[in-house]
Structures are given as structure tokens and as C-alpha cells.
Amino acid sequence: MGEEAENIIPDGTELRASLTENATLGAGNTYYLTGAYTVEEGATLNIQEGVTIIARYDDTVDYILVKQGAKINAIGTAENPIVMTSEQEEAGAWGGIHICGRAHTNAEGGQGSSEIGGATYGGDDDSDNSGTLQYVRVEYTGYAFDEEHEANGISFYGVGNGTTVDHCVAYKGSDDGFEFFGGSVNVSNMVVISCSDDSFDWTEGWNGKGTDLVAYQEPEATLGYNCDCLIEADNNGDNFDSTPVAHPTLNNLILVGNGSDSQGVRLRAGTQVTMDNAQVCGKGRPLTVE
């Protein structure tokens, strides 16, 4: 294991405050997230297979924030995935994962500030590497900080294509499953289950590749809440012509809606997309362009 095996945080530890040096959550251990857990520039958070992270359900908002120049290497396996969940098993219980990189954003000035944690993202390094996420499941995310700021399952802010992301699941969140704010990160084998807002969302010029994407929305009658779009996509809501233009390439999609009359795939605000082999069902308007 080498470097990753160094500085293993003891089983049962509460994760909070800032991580300023490399640390490892050991295989099979359980940890408790209480408040913001921020990985600072220059530090790497390694998470080994079979780790469970449980967000405390109290008056403190729990989330993981990876800043520019920091890394998260969360590497599970099919047999022993990494699970991030909450003591309160309901949508919106905690704040999810937020990763900030140095790849492009078409936000004004070429930089932005993460909706959760207020961390800087953006730049001109589309090959930037924020680490690895493999076989990671996030459950019950979507904490509402206010009417404008809700936490997705995993938010990618200006994340570069040097980052590896595959085999991730967002389960029963109260906002989006996975959202991309600019960047060039490529993702594959991504699954979103019954997230109440959009399953997949992008804005600010994301132009990576998405391969083997699945979204499923349980009907409101049995789920207990409604779900919005399977994909909602913008270039930039403030300036539709902002460059670089959002233009991801998506291949092999199965998108299953909740039986409502709302949109399945909603393309708006100047976005472009190349989409091949996509099956969309369970929505009254499978594809709309605004």
C-alpha cells in the first residue's frame, strides 16, 4: 500500500475541521462525519475499500470539501464499495462531496466559488488531477443551506480530466445526483437513484465524457416525494454565449423517469451535447430544447 497506508485514522474517529497532511481511512473501518471536513491544498485524503462514513444527524451541517490542489482517492471495489451515508436515512440529511479543481469554467472571470464551502475553483489546467473516485455510493445527500444552495450527491467544480471517476452511485438525495460546474472530467458507470431534483446536471462549460450513465426515479406515490429531470443542462444561465461552451459527449444512457409529465432531458441556456445510444422513458416530454 506504500504511502496510502501511512497515517491511518483510527476506526470510529469523528471527521471534522481541516486535513492539512495526507491521511488514510482504513479498509473496512467506520467513521463519523461531523461538520465540514475540508481537504486543504497539498493534502490527500485516501479512503480504502469497504470504508463507511456516517454523517451525524444534529445541528451541524456535514460535508466533505476538497479544495484546489488537494486530492481525494476514494477507491472501493464492487465487493467492498465505499459508502457515505447518514444516521438519518432520508433525503437531505447531509451535504455530500464537493471537489474543486483548476480546469476551466465559463463563469465570469474564469473562476467561481463553490456553492457549499465557498472554495475557489477554475483555471486553465484541463488536465488537473483531483484524485480518484471508484465504487463510491453517497446516500441521503441534499442538505438545504437556504433556498438557493442545496448540496448535490457529488459536485464537480472545475475538475480536470486527470481525475478518475467511475462506478459511483447517488441514492435518494434531495437535490441533484451529480452536477458539473465547468471542467473537463470524464465519468463512467454512474448511477443516480431517486434524487428529487435532477439526476445529472451540468453548467459553466463542462465538456468531459460520460459513458454508461443510468438514472432511475421511483414514482412519487411510493417514494414520498417528486423528482425533476433526468438530465438538466445549461451552458451558463447568466450568459448563454459564454465560452468555452458546455459540450459533453455522452454514450450509453438508460434514463427512467417517475411517470410525470415533466422533462426527461432538458437542454437550455446555450448548452450543446453529443449524445449517442440514449434510452429515455417514463417522462411526458422525453427531450426538450429551450
Side-chain angles (χ1 to χ4, degrees):
M1 299 296 291
E3 181 180 343
E4 287 194 11
E6 298 178 3
N7 194 19
I8 293 181
I9 298 175
D11 188 20
T13 297
E14 289 196 339
L15 308 176
R16 61 164 70 93
S18 294
L19 182 67
T20 57
E21 60 183 10
N22 296 353
T24 299
L25 307 185
N29 288 351
T30 298
Y31 300 90
Y32 296 90
L33 183 63
T34 174
Y37 191 47
T38 302
V39 187
E40 299 288 345
E41 182 176 2
T44 298
L45 174 63
N46 299 300
I47 307 176
Q48 296 179 346
E49 65 181 69
V51 164
T52 300
I53 299 175
I54 302 174
R56 296 291 195 193
Y57 192 70
D58 51 27
D59 294 332
T60 304
V61 183
D62 310 312
Y63 60 92
I64 295 173
L65 173 63
V66 181
K67 290 188 174 181
Q68 284 184 323
K71 290 184 179 180
I72 179 171
N73 289 325
I75 304 174
T77 65
E79 295 78 15
N80 294 293
I82 294 163
V83 179
M84 303 185 185
T85 187
S86 173
E87 289 180 331
Q88 184 74 10
E89 295 182 351
E90 64 180 28
W94 69 290
I97 305 172
H98 307 266
I99 304 174
C100 298
R102 293 194 171 106
H104 72 270
T105 171
N106 65 27
E108 185 176 359
Q111 284 194 327
S113 180
S114 63
E115 291 185 334
I116 310 304
T120 298
Y121 67 91
D124 58 7
D125 183 5
D126 273 7
S127 63
D128 190 37
N129 182 359
S130 295
T132 299
L133 296 174
Q134 292 178 310
Y135 292 98
V136 175
R137 184 169 80 244
V138 293
E139 304 177 337
Y140 311 117
T141 58
Y143 184 90
F145 288 76
D146 54 46
E147 291 183 359
E148 297 297 326
H149 299 91
E150 292 181 313
N152 307 300
I154 304 178
S155 299
F156 300 93
Y157 292 96
V159 175
N161 58 30
T163 309
T164 299
V165 182
D166 61 75
H167 295 90
C168 294
V169 177
Y171 177 76
K172 288 190 176 181
S174 68
D175 198 41
D176 302 327
F178 303 112
E179 183 163 6
F180 303 86
F181 297 83
S184 54
V185 64
N186 303 317
V187 301
S188 66
N189 296 280
M190 308 289 278
V191 178
V192 182
I193 301 172
S194 294
C195 286
S196 69
D197 197 4
D198 309 309
S199 300
F200 297 95
D201 195 333
W202 70 76
T203 187
E204 294 185 12
W206 178 50
N207 61 11
K209 297 178 181 179
T211 306
D212 299 328
L213 309 182
V214 175
Y216 170 77
Q217 298 174 340
E218 184 179 341
E220 182 178 7
T222 54
L223 184 60
Y225 56 84
N226 198 9
C227 299
D228 199 6
C229 300
L230 296 159
I231 292 177
E232 183 175 81
D234 301 341
N235 179 43
N236 184 306
D238 296 323
N239 178 2
F240 296 178
D241 297 322
S242 291
T243 57
V245 174
H247 190 147
T249 300
L250 308 181
N251 294 288
N252 306 333
L253 293 81
I254 298 176
L255 308 174
V256 181
N258 55 355
S260 71
D261 290 333
S262 59
Q263 295 104 318
V265 177
R266 184 184 189 189
L267 306 175
R268 63 182 190 180
T271 191
Q272 302 173 10
V273 66
T274 299
M275 189 180 303
D276 183 60
N277 192 27
Q279 301 181 58
V280 185
C281 64
K283 288 291 191 181
R285 290 173 286 167
L287 173 65
T288 64
V289 178
E290 300 174 23

